[in-house]
Amino acid sequence: LIQDEPLIFEQGGEGRKGYSLPRWDLEEVEAKNLIPSHLLREDLEGFPQLSEIDVVRHFTRLSQWNYGLDSGFYPLGSCTMKYNPKVNEEIARMSGFANLHPYTPEDLAQGALRLMYELGGFLAEITGMDHVSLQPAAGAHGELTGIRMVKAFLQARGNGRKKVLVPDTAHGTNCSTSTIASYQMVEIKSNENGIISPEKVAEQMDEEVAAIMVTNPNTLGLFEEHLAEIAEIVHRKGGFVYCDGANLNALMGIVKLGDLGVDVVHINLHKTFSTPHGGGGPGAGPVAVKKELAPYLPVPVIEKDRGIYRLNDDRPHSIGKMRAFYGNFGVILKAYAYILSMGSEGLKRASEMAVLNANYLMKRLKDYYHLPYDRPCMHECVFTDLFQEKYHVSTLDIAKRLIDYGYHPPTIYFPLVVKAALMIEPTETESKESLDGFIETMIAIAKEAEEDPDLLRQAP
């Protein structure tokens, strides 16, 4: 790869052209004689003159700087940047799906309605919940949908609660969601093991608390092992348990969140169920709820009656629409195809491999990078730059040095609960050879920090 590509204004030579056209039999007329002067562009000083091949090569080389999952290992923590089977992309592009207009009459869209209805059932089964809405467009949108449903439930009973509990190891969107829903956010500090303790929750839980928003596994990659007990504490005071299910690829097939007392959970289809993540979307954040919250689901709700699928808008307690139509159908479709192709055992195997890969990586690197919570992790692990600090090498230096080696850096400086964090998520789709290559590079960088720290500080 050529990494020192000059600007296009710095290339070319006098008299070069990017086109060659045949002679025409029309008289040449100057633009100023045909187009009003105020619509004409002024001449650009130094405008580059290049041949067609100059232009094509310039932009082709720039395109090769893009980095994605098809390029290599992408260990972005908290985001699950895993490889997704291309067959699901092909299915989503089939004309019968891709060209289906959202205003198509229900009688002519039975296949699509059946697909969405069945996916809702799959997601309910995976999470241990009772009902699902596919409407939310992404994770944070799913959070807002869930908390609005909690609020509607409480207000219908004249219970105007004011607070939401959010652990310091939750996703940052949990704080934003509670604020946007007009709740006061109350932070719960994690304990020395990186998880929340029932005692801390009991101290803050009262009749003013509408819900607790828990990310499980949390942003340290650790399982909230006291969640069932915490749910009991919250329920005794009349509150709800919201679970951020963005990290579901560590649990699916192994843990049903509903069995732990969770009342509402969103699911990031673009993290867990086969949609390429990043690049601005699209995503999907379906919300699964227990039956007491079902009357408040966004409309329309897909129902099945005597083998016919219908969209029901007649739901007087609904919080209304959260977005146009019925959700991001292409993402929903890919998730449906992925779940069918994997089956229950395949989904469980994916979770097991995600956890295995993260623990393998953590075990291999903990002698070279500081591990603030030295205990088995779930799908990701968090290191810091504490060992490199004495050489005046920072997390940022390490991340930029990884670019020199051709790797996309992991998430850095998040979660905020860990100073100078290096948050690495290998996902289930990476081979041992791929992980070993990354590990050896990280070890090499740790040795460079000790032997030649200036080299890292100049990276990339």
Side-chain angles (χ1 to χ4, degrees):
L1 294 181
I2 298 172
Q3 297 288 357
D4 58 350
E5 180 71 11
L7 300 175
I8 199 162
F9 274 80
E10 298 170 350
Q11 299 184 51
E14 191 70 28
R16 294 186 191 175
K17 286 185 177 180
Y19 61 91
S20 176
L21 299 174
R23 292 180 182 274
W24 50 73
D25 58 2
L26 298 174
E27 180 184 352
E28 274 197 38
V29 181
E30 291 192 36
K32 66 182 180 181
N33 295 329
L34 290 176
I35 301 172
S37 59
H38 71 280
L39 296 178
L40 280 171
R41 186 186 70 192
E42 295 179 8
D43 286 339
L44 294 179
E45 188 176 339
F47 194 81
Q49 298 181 44
L50 299 97
S51 67
E52 180 178 319
I53 194 169
D54 291 334
V55 175
V56 169
R57 284 179 176 170
H58 172 73
F59 288 106
T60 299
R61 287 194 289 258
L62 289 183
S63 75
Q64 291 169 338
W65 294 3
N66 291 338
Y67 193 95
L69 279 162
D70 290 352
S71 307
F73 184 42
Y74 208 127
L76 210 58
S78 195
C79 283
T80 315
M81 306 292 279
K82 69 181 182 181
Y83 179 81
N84 295 287
K86 295 293 185 282
V87 64
N88 300 330
E89 295 288 315
E90 292 298 319
I91 291 170
R93 292 189 181 102
M94 291 173 67
S95 61
F97 293 127
N99 297 330
L100 184 67
H101 196 283
Y103 280 135
T104 301
E106 293 172 14
D107 292 347
L108 302 178
Q110 285 294 295
L113 292 174
R114 174 187 167 186
L115 186 154
M116 291 189 284
Y117 180 86
E118 291 184 357
L119 177 62
F122 295 160
L123 297 176
E125 173 69 19
I126 289 166
T127 56
M129 310 300 276
D130 299 319
H131 299 274
V132 172
S133 170
L134 303 176
Q135 201 172 117
H141 198 213
E143 290 174 27
L144 184 60
T145 303
I147 292 299
R148 281 194 61 201
M149 291 168 67
V150 167
K151 191 168 190 172
F153 178 99
L154 294 171
Q155 286 180 336
R157 286 152 181 76
N159 196 339
R161 301 192 174 205
K162 299 177 181 177
K163 297 185 289 187
V164 168
L165 306 181
V166 180
D168 60 3
T169 52
H171 280 135
T173 49
N174 295 179
C175 310
S176 304
T177 293
S178 55
T179 302
I180 290 171
S182 301
Y183 284 115
Q184 175 192 348
M185 193 275 289
V186 178
E187 185 179 73
I188 302 288
K189 295 287 185 184
S190 52
N191 62 20
E192 66 279 2
N193 292 321
I195 57 177
I196 47 175
S197 64
E199 294 77 18
K200 287 284 186 184
V201 175
E203 287 174 12
Q204 297 286 356
M205 188 63 209
D206 57 33
E207 282 77 10
E208 290 290 289
V209 174
I212 184 170
M213 297 187 77
V214 181
T215 301
N216 193 25
N218 65 29
T219 54
L220 295 169
L222 303 175
F223 185 73
E224 293 289 352
E225 56 196 59
H226 304 301
L227 184 54
E229 187 179 347
I230 288 166
E232 287 183 20
I233 294 168
V234 174
H235 289 155
R236 278 200 299 268
K237 296 283 187 177
F240 285 84
V241 177
Y242 183 99
C243 185
D244 184 319
N247 299 332
L248 192 63
N249 71 311
L251 302 181
M252 57 180 177
I254 299 170
V255 174
K256 290 190 176 183
L257 292 165
D259 294 346
L260 301 181
V262 170
D263 301 297
V264 52
V265 55
H266 83 261
I267 305 145
N268 293 62
L269 298 187
H270 50 285
K271 287 189 176 185
T272 308
F273 295 106
S274 190
T275 287
H277 183 187
V287 173
V289 300
K290 288 294 181 69
K291 59 180 181 293
E292 55 264 38
L293 288 174
Y296 304 93
L297 286 165
V299 288
V301 170
I302 302 171
E303 297 176 348
K304 183 181 180 182
D305 180 24
R306 287 171 291 185
I308 303 298
Y309 300 89
R310 298 293 184 206
L311 292 163
N312 183 2
D313 285 284
D314 185 18
R315 297 176 62 86
H317 300 293
S318 169
I319 61 171
K321 270 185 175 291
M322 288 300 292
R323 58 155 295 149
F325 305 116
Y326 328 111
N328 281 335
F329 182 69
V331 181
I332 290 166
L333 174 53
K334 281 178 271 192
Y336 180 82
Y338 179 75
I339 292 171
L340 284 182
S341 63
M342 295 287 281
S344 57
E345 286 303 312
L347 294 178
K348 180 179 179 181
R349 183 67 172 163
S351 295
E352 291 171 341
M353 292 305 298
V355 173
L356 176 64
N357 281 353
N359 280 275
Y360 175 68
L361 194 148
M362 182 185 73
K363 179 77 172 176
R364 290 281 315 273
L365 288 178
K366 70 178 187 177
D367 290 339
Y368 301 92
Y369 295 90
H370 173 240
L371 184 65
Y373 298 97
D374 190 358
R375 52 187 305 219
C377 63
M378 296 298 285
H379 61 303
E380 61 195 358
C381 55
V382 179
F383 295 99
T384 82
D385 64 5
L386 186 63
F387 293 171
Q388 287 72 40
E389 198 174 44
K390 58 188 171 184
Y391 307 115
H392 305 290
V393 169
S394 69
T395 287
L396 182 60
D397 296 328
I398 295 164
K400 290 198 291 185
R401 184 60 173 153
L402 270 168
I403 297 172
D404 283 341
Y405 281 97
Y407 282 102
H408 194 288
T411 298
I412 59 174
Y413 298 104
F414 180 82
L416 301 178
V417 69
V418 171
K419 181 186 175 186
L422 273 159
M423 187 184 194
I424 307 172
E425 181 178 359
T427 81
E428 72 272 19
T429 57
E430 296 297 332
S431 67
K432 183 175 180 295
E433 292 82 5
S434 175
L435 295 183
D436 285 340
F438 177 77
I439 288 165
E440 293 305 321
T441 299
M442 288 291 287
I443 292 172
I445 291 172
K447 291 177 178 176
E448 287 175 348
E450 186 176 349
E451 297 165 4
D452 192 1
D454 284 339
L455 181 66
L456 269 71
R457 288 192 288 269
Q458 293 165 14

